[in-house]
Amino acid sequence: MKKMFLLLTVLTSISSLIRAQAPVSWTSADMYHAIRKLQVLGSVLYIAAHPDDENTRLITYLSKDRMLRTGYLSLTRGDGGQNLIGEEQGIELGLIRTQELLAARRVDGGEQFFTRAYDFGFSKNPEETFNKWDKEKILADVVWVIRKFQPDVIINRFPVTGEGGHGHHTASGILANEAYAAAADPNRFPEQLQFVKVWQAKRVLWNTFNFGGTNTTREDQYKVDVGGYNPLLGKSYGEIAAESRSQHKSQGFGVPATRGESLEYFKATKGDQPSNDLMDGVDLSWNRIPGGDRVAAAIESLARNFDLLHPEKTVEGLVKLDQLMSGLPDGYWKAQKKKEVQELIVQCSGLFMDITTAEQFAVQTDSLRFNFAFNNRLGSSISLEKIILDQFDSSFTRQLEKNRNFGFSKTLYIPANKPITQPYWLEKKMKEGYFDVTNQLLIGQPNVNTAFNAFIHLNIYGEGYIMARPVRYKFTDPVKGELYQPLVVVPPVLLEPDNTTKISKNNNQFEGTLTLTGKKKGFQTFFDGVGKEQPDEVKVTYSPDKIFFDEKNKSIPVNYSIQATRDNDYHFAVDANNGRKDLYFVGMKEIRYDHVPYITYFNRATVRNERLDLKTYGKKIGYITGAGDKVPESLEQMGYEVVLLGNKELAKNNLGQFDAIITGVRAYNTHDWMNKYYDKLMKYVQEGGNLIVQYNTSNNIGPVKAKIGPFPFNITRTRVTDETAAVNILKPEHPVFNFPNKIVADDFQGWIQERSIYHGADTSGKFEKLISMADPGEKADDGSLLVARYGKGWFTYTGLVFFRELPAGVPGAFRLIANLIALNKKKGF
């Protein structure tokens, strides 16, 4: 078990490298800074709830100035946040924000960790949060990270008393404080102790704050200036922190650089309050380890004699330092510092090691060419002894000459049992509030496991080393130049349904299209019936039912038809017809943005069928795209013709052709040009049109700069986060609840994540307030659905989360939005 733990630690380190755009080469200043850091044996773990909750200025100061090993534990991956750059929600947004956090840590020098907790959206109190998360399970994860990372000091972003303003925030403070004691108790989570030891941190500090109108700092709290300037790095910590925080682009968190004094305040919540230093009572020197004084002296000599122009002169000394460390008693700091020394050996020698492919995908049951490249750029005494990469194992004993390229290629077969490159937290179906990860060794790991890892055996100044490097996909973009991206293992055939939710009216008969993509050539597939979640008599037909792939990456559409008697989930699969009954049943999703590496994940080729008692009125919808959502696809399934409207389309189109115009989520936040179409949209409504505005935000992230409705109203921060909250229909006789569908209480059953966000507040007295609802213990609010007549037409502002409910196939959401669309067609009201 201990060997398995050590191996996983190595692979975890590799996984943190895979997302870097290119092989990392340090400057001499970086090397010197890293040598000085060898003298510091101290660690700090910062804990909060989400990506972007972390204090990047403090993390930068701790890692760059104090040279402490610094980590950030984000309880969630930010899956429930908003997305200002695209339409990704849920786990897809979590994948983006994971990479944004890793990019931030590459800037500020921290390390990144997560628990299994899922960000299910805004929560008003920790009780609701723990009800979904399973408190004991997430507490175990925090304890695991503490025992593994062994922080001397734990720092919370948020207190346990609620000033953080979000249930997840308060929960993070509660868990950190409870984990302080639990991590030191061998009776708590004893199953972890086969891999790690109990650990007692010195103290827990709350990093008090002054933002969002709440000031929790006090002059009697311990404070430290984190705004210094580092001449080795050529930047102030405020400048580095701004670059780090600005990686959170999906949240619109670009910030300006700061310079000069910047005070951070701290209050102890466990352990003693520091008086002279955050690390009071912690020995940060090599005196922590018996015999460490000799190591400290060797490091001091290396730092004193370091030659900025010839860092290779330090390599032999680093090798001797590494051997000196090997004689110390085994323990946490010995292992950590040896890892730092070995990376310094590579960087100071200028050794270039690059293992790449010219293709992005390694296809199961196909072959792939791997390219190996080495260059001993500064001429240290280094010989290549051996390379191991999966089934490839080759010995060399080749001296690497100064600044001479050595390279070769090897074609390897990718076996059928080679795991696809799936983020480990998505391998199993998620529970309500957390990812179902049962492998203890994976918990806390920030990134996906790398597809292929090369283990390179070297002899450096007479000592043997094994250096692990990830295999990456390398290519040249004509504009951006040489780029590196993750190498991904994929199955030979991918299945992609046109819609993951199929609604059908009055029965469970529906049709759709599956797109099959062959990732290799020269093989045939045929369909293996259809799997179903619930028992039922199902008739399924495919056209065609057999496919031969004569080209690589060829996509072929297959029409399917299903007749059943009940709502169900249908799982599609194809047989590769190779005599082994290999079934392939996943589709692949790719997410690409310039600020993060390529993101790839797989999901089961599943379609959910919902039989709806649904009537629609009107045919043509204009949809003004906002920050990104999947409502248009749902409207098309309802039978509407949907025309997407951007700046140019709004300018040239006759709006009178549309039965309704719907604005996408945050359209007024994200598009300044909406203001110039205010008069045109109001004329459309006045002449009998129907404008439905989905929520916009009232915060500083893309504030609304345009007028929205025919009458004044304010957008508030009121929301109902309990998706089961009772809905009170205030005007049952209103057309919204009667035409063409009769809306009743059952239509609000089965909603997911939340009811509504960013309610409106009528300041003109011209709006009808149609429903009221509240989270438990709060006063009911009637601003989630505001409707007004204007001229011959209708205007609606709604905070109801149609953008979540429609893609999830919630029946009542389809019926209600159909009624909103039909408002201007109901006669006699």
Side-chain angles (χ1 to χ4, degrees), residues 732-751:
E733 75 286 355
H734 198 279
V736 165
F737 305 117
N738 291 280
F739 181 80
N741 303 286
K742 180 67 176 178
I743 303 298
V744 296
D746 281 350
D747 287 299
F748 295 97
Q749 299 297 314
W751 285 48

Side-chain angles (χ1 to χ4, degrees), residues 204-208 221-222 265-270 273-274:
V204 178
L205 298 174
W206 169 30
N207 179 199
T208 59
Q221 297 168 356
Y222 180 77
Y265 293 77
F266 302 90
K267 178 180 179 180
T269 57
K270 296 291 181 182
Q273 177 77 6

